[in-house]
Amino acid sequence: MLDVADNCKSNNPTAPVIGLSFFAVASGFLMSLIPLSLGNFGLSPDLAPWLASIFYLGLLLGALRVERLITKMGHRRGFVLFLTLLIASIVAMLLLPHAGIWLGARLLAGFAVAGVFVVVESWLLMANSVKARARRLGIYMAALYGGSALGQLAIGELGTQGVLPYLFVIVLLMMAILAPVLIRSGEPAHQAQLRLSFAESASLSRPAIIGCLVSGLLLGPIYGLMPVYIDNQVDEPTQTGLLMAAIILGGMAVQPLISYLSPRMDKRLLMAMCTLVGLVGVVGAIETSALQLKALSYFILGAASFALYPIAISLACDRLPSIKIVSATEVMLLCYSLGSVAGPLLALTLSEKRHGMMLYLAICLLSTCLYMLLKSVQRLDGQTDSLQN
């Protein structure tokens, strides 16, 4: 068995990043396509929040199980398996357009996407320094969100009606599979992964856990319900795609800054700053009517919302050896999934209010900002006390 240093040296991120890029375009388009195409398949628009929540329930279940599959199969084969399962879920939706089938398919899709995330995140995080991990995580997030933003633009080009948009998604996922199939080098050396014990999981940074949870509370509704909210606010479907793209482009654009700041400043304070900036985006999205200003506000909101997860997972993995990284990313994905399951349903409770979606996001951002500020101050006080002693 190779040791940790040898494993890190043999680890090349080319295959997962290329595969992830195609996956991100497909997944970004699919997340907006599903709620907007329900009527075309004779399904009720009221199904949208349930489809979003059950997808994240699948993500949660996947977070509990995929580590064993990855340890047994390896990262490359696991990547191929999970993408294949995602394609199968889409085919099932097209062949059997019934509410129960779609709910089951989205549950399977969530499980598959959990596998993709854990494979790619653990593959990239198996680096031998905090700076290398932060740099790789920045590449990962940029590829993920850049692809997702590009996928939103397909709404205007391909529309949301008929089978063609779904076939486009399937083709992209097949191209994602080609990356690990054709690029066979660079996979982390196969080694037994150590599971975090319950005590170790419980001792992971509390702000890291809260950061991943809140990330799910924000991104679950953004992916699952925001396309419908925006569609009700604008006049043309093209504007829906543009504003959704602005959200995700914000998430992509902020990643280099997060990668630079994350190793250099307190991550709790960094998350507090991000959520405060997100509140500015929420206010701007509500108050502005000009498309350009509204797009800028959504861009800012996206930058803040998508920044939390990489900061939180980096905080959780800062002091862990590579043989525990898969288990740690699984725990963080579990926290994210719990938030993602609850998020769309919680946001739905405010749907009767004007701008209820934005009010929900503002509550999440403000409460998280206050919590992270408190934790940052407590940590600073603790450091001061230790220096005095």
Side-chain angles (χ1 to χ4, degrees):
M1 182 182 295
L2 295 178
D3 63 19
V4 172
D6 289 337
N7 182 44
C8 292
K9 288 178 182 177
S10 67
N11 180 351
N12 187 300
T14 303
V17 169
I18 292 175
L20 178 75
S21 298
F22 284 109
F23 162 81
V25 177
S27 180
F29 182 34
L30 183 64
M31 293 296 280
S32 295
L33 174 63
I34 287 174
L36 295 174
S37 67
L38 291 173
N40 181 67
F41 288 94
L43 300 171
S44 170
D46 295 336
L47 192 62
W50 296 101
L51 287 171
S53 285
I54 203 166
F55 170 83
Y56 288 110
L57 177 60
L59 200 71
L60 188 154
L61 295 175
L64 294 172
R65 305 297 300 178
V66 296
E67 181 198 0
R68 295 179 184 178
L69 287 173
I70 296 169
T71 301
K72 187 174 182 178
M73 301 179 64
H75 285 71
R76 187 173 60 82
R77 290 181 179 177
F79 197 25
V80 173
L81 170 65
F82 296 128
L83 288 172
T84 302
L85 288 177
L86 182 55
I87 292 174
S89 73
I90 299 170
V91 172
M93 291 168 64
L94 293 177
L95 294 178
L96 299 167
H98 303 289
I101 299 297
W102 278 46
L103 288 168
R106 292 308 287 162
L107 183 69
L108 175 62
F111 181 91
V113 170
V116 172
F117 285 160
V118 173
V119 164
V120 176
E121 287 172 8
S122 59
W123 191 330
L124 297 180
L125 284 169
M126 286 181 183
N128 53 13
S129 73
V130 172
K131 286 187 177 180
R133 288 177 181 176
R135 183 173 61 253
R136 286 186 171 197
L137 205 56
I139 295 172
Y140 162 66
M141 291 298 174
L144 179 61
Y145 299 149
S148 296
L150 187 60
Q152 304 304 317
L153 301 180
I155 295 175
E157 296 297 324
L158 297 177
T160 58
Q161 306 303 306
V163 174
L164 178 62
Y166 286 91
L167 294 180
F168 175 70
V169 171
I170 291 173
V171 170
L172 287 173
L173 292 174
M174 288 179 174
M175 294 176 71
I177 289 176
L178 286 177
V181 168
L182 297 179
I183 305 173
R184 304 181 69 85
S185 61
E187 180 181 15
H190 193 70
Q191 59 176 353
Q193 287 288 316
L194 292 181
R195 286 190 65 85
L196 293 176
S197 66
F198 179 79
E200 287 176 314
S201 297
S203 66
L204 289 173
S205 168
R206 191 66 56 82
I209 291 173
I210 295 297
C212 286
L213 179 67
V214 173
S215 178
L217 288 170
L218 293 171
L219 298 184
I222 283 176
Y223 275 126
L225 302 179
M226 187 66 84
V228 177
Y229 171 80
I230 294 176
D231 197 53
N232 291 331
Q233 303 292 318
V234 299
D235 300 324
E236 301 176 9
T238 303
Q239 293 180 352
T240 301
L242 287 173
L243 292 178
M244 281 300 297
I247 293 175
I248 302 171
L249 279 172
M252 180 189 71
V254 78
Q255 296 309 315
L257 179 61
I258 294 302
S259 296
Y260 177 80
L261 293 177
S262 185
R264 292 172 171 82
M265 66 179 293
D266 178 38
K267 294 180 177 65
R268 301 155 190 81
L269 179 59
L270 185 55
M271 284 191 277
M273 291 169 56
C274 288
T275 49
L276 183 60
V277 170
L279 283 169
V280 175
V282 168
V283 173
I286 293 174
E287 297 296 330
T288 59
S289 56
L291 182 61
Q292 293 85 350
L293 293 177
K294 195 172 284 290
L296 177 60
S297 298
Y298 279 113
F299 181 90
I300 293 171
L301 173 61
S305 301
F306 284 93
L308 290 180
Y309 187 74
I311 301 170
I313 197 172
S314 178
L315 176 60
C317 295
D318 269 353
R319 294 179 175 85
L320 291 179
S322 67
I323 56 175
K324 293 186 178 182
I325 291 294
V326 172
S327 184
T329 54
E330 193 178 50
V331 172
M332 292 298 103
L333 183 60
L334 175 63
C335 298
Y336 171 84
S337 302
L338 287 170
S340 300
V341 170
L345 300 180
L346 291 174
L348 197 62
T349 62
L350 298 174
S351 61
E352 298 300 321
K353 297 183 178 294
R354 188 166 181 260
H355 299 299
M357 175 70 179
M358 289 299 176
L359 177 60
Y360 165 81
L361 295 178
I363 292 171
C364 290
L365 290 165
L366 178 58
S367 56
T368 306
C369 180
L370 295 175
Y371 172 81
M372 293 299 174
L373 282 174
L374 177 63
K375 287 297 180 182
S376 181
V377 170
Q378 288 177 347
R379 181 174 182 271
L380 186 59
D381 289 342
Q383 289 177 337
T384 302
D385 292 340
S386 64
L387 287 174
Q388 290 175 347
N389 293 332

